[in-house]
Amino acid sequence: MRILVTVKHTPDLQSQRSFTDGRVTRTAEDGTMNELDEYAVEAALQLVEAAGEGEVYALTVGGPDAVAAVRKALQLGVHHALHVSDEAVGGSDVFGTAKVIAAAVNKIHGEAPLDLVITGMAALDGLTSMLPTALAAELDWSQLTLASALSVADGEATIERHLADAHETVSAPLPAVVSVTDELNKPRFPNFKLIMAARKAPVTVWTLEDLGVNAADAGAGASRTTVVDASERPPRADRVKVTDTGDAGTQLADFLIEKGLA
Amino acid sequence: MTTVAVLIDHRDGAVTRPSLEALTLARSLGTPVAVWLGESPSADAAAQLGEYGATEVRVVDVADARLAASAAAALGAASDDADVIVVISTFVTKEIVTRLAMTTGAGVVVDAAGAEIVDGKVEALQTVFAATWNVRTRIDADKAIIGVRPNTTQATPADSAGAGTIIDVSVDLPETRERVVSVAPVEQSDGTPLAEAPVVVSGGRGTGGDYTLVSELADLLGGAVGASRDATDEGWISHEHMVGQTGTTVTPALYVACGISGAVHHRGGMQASGTIVAINMDPDAPIFEIADFGVVGSLFDVIPQTIERIKERRGA
Ligand SMILES: Cc1cc2nc3c(=O)[nH]c(=O)nc-3n(C[C@H](O)[C@H](O)[C@H](O)COP(=O)(O)OP(=O)(O)OC[C@H]3O[C@@H](n4cnc5c(N)ncnc54)[C@H](O)[C@@H]3O)c2cc1C
Ligand SMILES: Cc1cc2nc3c(=O)[nH]c(=O)nc-3n(C[C@H](O)[C@H](O)[C@H](O)COP(=O)(O)OP(=O)(O)OC[C@H]3O[C@@H](n4cnc5c(N)ncnc54)[C@H](O)[C@@H]3O)c2cc1C
């Protein structure tokens, strides 16, 4: 079983997140591996462990600091780390990012076939949840998204997905792009031995040229969308906080009625 | 003139309110045409779409469009001439528009709170980073796709109604690798689905698993019941009720958080709501940082009193 997991470097949710010149401010200190990608890493490790053989690759696309995302994946136990780092990738939209990730996937797939690419259900900064679909289309592989259960047998992957109106079971032949939700598993914690090993583990770094991607097909230049303005929202004004001494419920009702909400 | 195709969401043959909101938004961008996937709409439904400005109702009678690639082909066939496509942002439509954008080269912004045309280009508005930032994104591509969140545009009928003429569109669905093995419909609770509800009353760990008061208040306010992840993990209430970054994102006019601490994952899914009310015993709970009206107290004391008072004042 050969699996590639995509991991994005995103600002820590607890940090003060912001924009600079229409792009997310990204620094090494408060950036981490997208929390939802931990479930993807866990899914890949479990499948390989169950198969008793195989390899897991972690891939990130981003600036130099993004290496932190694949280091985290190494700490969790993936076998190989890949980092596409190129100035020209900055400002990519979903489609440019998908093109670059697909090129990296194809490079590994060309060395020896992959069975699966596993992604998180969303990156907690962009939050579009569009990348897995775009990647499957770009690769022309099967698309199995939002898996809250995943199994692989006889050259097929099968998932369950919980949508607002229905629970679906969907199957498709390998190779497949699978996005997984945080319902799928419970990610492991890195152990000391792996943390030490991850520090020294090699990370393969590729540029767009290494992948045969034309710089004009990725990055801000190729982006179909441009952030023209980003501003911090003012905090909510006139906030009220009461401590219940027996009539707070009544005060709340009056507040709602005055606001025309009840 | 800009043609704006709106993918209509319908349930049991009826047009959902977010679809009317999307048509209202579409009117401000150009001339709306409605796209209806599935069995032809009733005359009433088509008339309603016309009332909200749809000049045409393009029907693609696909029996099964559960797979993103199939739905994208159907939507694509009915929106060939459209400069702008508007859908209601959900996990499902995000996949459909991504597929469509892969074949049409369209630029896409999802989870938008609004859009306008500036210098001939669509600009979409979003709130990001758990609603702490406003972002305006221009779609440079020739075709623009916008996924809008429910409750972000006030649905109003058009001053002059569109004809709402039904036009049948045929499509050859693509071969898909994926196979839907089974579909189990989720039992829908009465009333409006969470994402569309104008009022959401949510209960978290602080309810201890008893949703009686939360449901009663939600009913009284004409809203839906939401929950935190801890509550759905406990099995107190089904997953469909979970509000948050990995659950449903809601933007109701009123959000009432009862016994919810306000973890960043939860806030990401509700922070853009109009008015936020929090009821929590812990004065330091982070939910109070974003509450317009916070009550430090037990929900078991506060909610019954609130319900009683509202009934009393309504009766008066
Ligand atoms: C606030 C914000 C708003 C944006 N809005 C838009 C928009 O409206 N339209 C648009 O086209 N682009 C948009 N982008 C750009 C887009 O986020 C990036 O191109 C991104 O790399 C892919 O989208 P996502 O972050 O939403 O990923 P999602 O689709 O939410 O991520 C799903 C999974 O894909 C994988 N993944 C995503 N990106 C990477 C990566 N760089 N490296 C490795 N794995 C990855 C991860 O496994 C992740 O869990 C936006 C970015 C930000 C920060
Ligand atoms: C990857 C990831 C994704 C996640 N996604 C989501 C998500 O989408 N949505 C989500 O909600 N969570 C999500 N979570 C979980 C989130 O981090 C929190 O753990 C969760 O929101 C906490 O739920 P809670 O507020 O109900 O419980 P707690 O944090 O335990 O808070 C309970 C609160 O109830 C109060 N309380 C107790 N008794 C009473 C009473 N009688 N009256 C009033 N108040 C009372 C307490 O003071 C406390 O503040 C996610 C976590 C991870 C790691």
Side-chain angles (χ1 to χ4, degrees):
Chain A
M1 182 92 62
R2 283 167 52 81
I3 303 175
L4 183 144
V5 181
T6 55
V7 294
K8 189 178 185 187
H9 186 240
T10 54
D12 190 327
L13 288 187
Q14 311 290 348
S15 70
Q16 283 296 334
R17 296 180 289 173
S18 64
F19 279 83
T20 314
D21 299 334
R23 303 234 187 120
V24 177
T25 316
R26 296 183 194 273
T27 56
E29 304 87 71
D30 56 7
T32 52
M33 178 172 101
N34 173 37
E35 209 173 4
L36 291 170
D37 293 340
E38 290 179 23
Y39 300 87
V41 171
E42 181 64 35
L45 293 173
Q46 283 186 13
L47 283 170
V48 164
E49 284 160 7
E53 53 82 33
E55 286 176 299
V56 180
Y57 293 81
L59 164 72
T60 194
V61 174
D65 294 337
V67 72
V70 283
R71 289 251 177 249
K72 175 72 189 277
L74 285 167
Q75 292 178 0
L76 293 169
V78 307
H79 308 97
H80 308 283
L82 312 167
H83 178 192
V84 180
S85 179
D86 196 317
E87 283 295 316
V89 177
S92 291
D93 63 1
V94 168
F95 308 102
T97 307
K99 196 165 249 142
V100 174
I101 293 182
V105 168
N106 276 327
K107 196 169 165 94
I108 296 296
H109 191 57
E111 288 167 9
L114 288 164
D115 298 293
L116 295 171
V117 167
I118 306 184
T119 78
M121 68 180 285
L124 289 173
D125 54 353
L127 270 180
T128 67
S129 291
M130 290 165 59
L131 185 102
T133 304
L135 181 61
E138 188 72 44
L139 289 166
D140 200 14
W141 289 14
S142 305
Q143 167 188 343
L144 296 169
T145 39
L146 301 172
S148 53
L150 165 66
S151 59
V152 178
D154 306 325
E156 271 208 340
T158 299
I159 64 155
E160 270 169 43
R161 49 195 237 137
H162 294 171
L163 303 174
D165 68 330
H167 292 181
E168 295 178 345
T169 307
V170 187
S171 291
L174 305 179
V177 175
V178 178
S179 79
V180 303
T181 73
D182 55 346
E183 286 180 282
L184 178 68
N185 56 40
K186 221 171 161 305
R188 65 195 64 187
F189 290 103
N191 70 39
F192 183 72
K193 215 175 108 212
L194 283 170
I195 291 177
M196 296 312 287
R199 283 202 194 140
K200 298 199 209 84
V203 174
T204 304
V205 181
W206 286 327
T207 61
L208 291 186
E209 202 186 337
D210 296 331
L211 296 176
V213 175
N214 195 330
D217 288 337
S223 180
R224 304 171 188 182
T225 47
T226 310
V227 173
V228 289
D229 189 43
S231 55
E232 200 164 2
R233 300 180 93 198
R236 287 169 183 267
D238 304 326
R239 294 190 298 118
V240 179
K241 186 168 159 191
V242 299
T243 300
D244 187 22
T245 52
D247 69 343
T250 306
Q251 290 185 49
L252 171 56
D254 291 345
F255 168 82
L256 294 175
I257 291 164
E258 259 131 57
K259 278 248 173 189
L261 293 165
Chain B
M1 191 66 206
T2 310
T3 301
V4 187
V6 180
L7 179 62
I8 301 299
D9 178 46
H10 49 90
R11 256 192 314 272
D12 304 326
V15 178
T16 64
R17 198 170 41 85
S19 300
L20 302 179
E21 296 169 1
L23 277 171
T24 306
L25 176 68
R27 289 203 314 266
S28 71
L29 304 174
T31 309
V33 297
V35 177
W36 181 287
L37 305 190
E39 233 171 83
S40 207
S42 67
D44 281 356
Q48 189 184 24
L49 296 171
E51 233 175 87
Y52 281 79
T55 53
E56 295 173 7
V57 181
R58 298 178 180 175
V59 180
V60 197
D61 192 354
V62 277
D64 184 13
R66 289 208 78 86
L67 293 170
S70 308
L75 173 59
S79 62
D80 225 9
D81 59 336
D83 313 283
V84 183
I85 298 172
V86 179
V87 303
I88 297 141
S89 218
T90 65
F91 283 120
V92 171
T93 59
K94 284 176 177 187
E95 295 184 358
I96 297 171
V97 298
T98 304
R99 283 272 163 185
L100 185 56
M102 291 296 291
T103 56
T104 58
V108 184
V109 175
V110 293
D111 292 326
E116 56 192 17
I117 306 256
V118 179
D119 298 335
K121 292 283 177 199
V122 174
E123 293 190 359
L125 307 168
Q126 289 168 293
T127 59
V128 304
F129 295 161
T132 55
W133 281 71
N134 287 327
V135 173
R136 173 182 280 268
T137 303
R138 184 181 65 228
I139 303 181
D140 301 306
D142 290 339
K143 214 179 183 80
I145 302 182
I146 316 158
V148 286
R149 281 193 177 151
N151 289 319
T152 52
T153 301
Q154 174 83 38
T156 49
D159 290 336
S160 54
T165 314
I166 291 188
I167 293 177
D168 288 310
V169 177
S170 63
V171 62
D172 289 322
L173 292 185
E175 289 277 326
T176 54
R177 292 164 196 274
E178 305 82 13
R179 202 173 72 250
V180 180
V181 179
S182 69
V183 183
V186 170
E187 180 105 17
Q188 299 292 327
S189 36
D190 301 342
T192 324
L194 193 55
E196 304 166 21
V199 174
V200 174
V201 183
S202 286
R205 182 169 291 286
T207 62
D210 183 353
Y211 275 76
T212 320
L213 288 171
V214 168
S215 306
E216 207 181 315
L217 183 60
D219 276 350
L220 186 68
L221 298 175
V225 174
S228 70
R229 164 83 174 274
D230 281 30
T232 57
D233 278 356
E234 288 286 349
W236 293 341
I237 185 163
S238 65
H239 183 77
E240 289 73 45
H241 293 274
M242 185 173 97
V243 171
Q245 243 155 10
T246 55
T248 304
T249 297
V250 298
T251 38
L254 171 65
Y255 188 86
V256 186
C258 311
I260 290 178
S261 59
V264 64
H265 303 100
H266 187 82
R267 281 160 47 165
M270 46 65 73
Q271 198 154 348
S273 303
T275 298
I276 297 175
V277 169
I279 306 170
N280 197 303
M281 302 232 281
D282 174 6
D284 298 322
I287 191 76
F288 286 127
E289 290 163 20
I290 55 162
D292 296 291
F293 194 96
V295 179
V296 182
S298 171
L299 65 96
F300 297 102
D301 299 332
V302 177
I303 300 180
Q305 207 176 55
T306 304
I307 291 173
E308 195 188 335
R309 175 72 165 182
I310 292 172
K311 284 184 176 161
E312 186 187 300
R313 286 194 48 179
R314 278 186 189 169

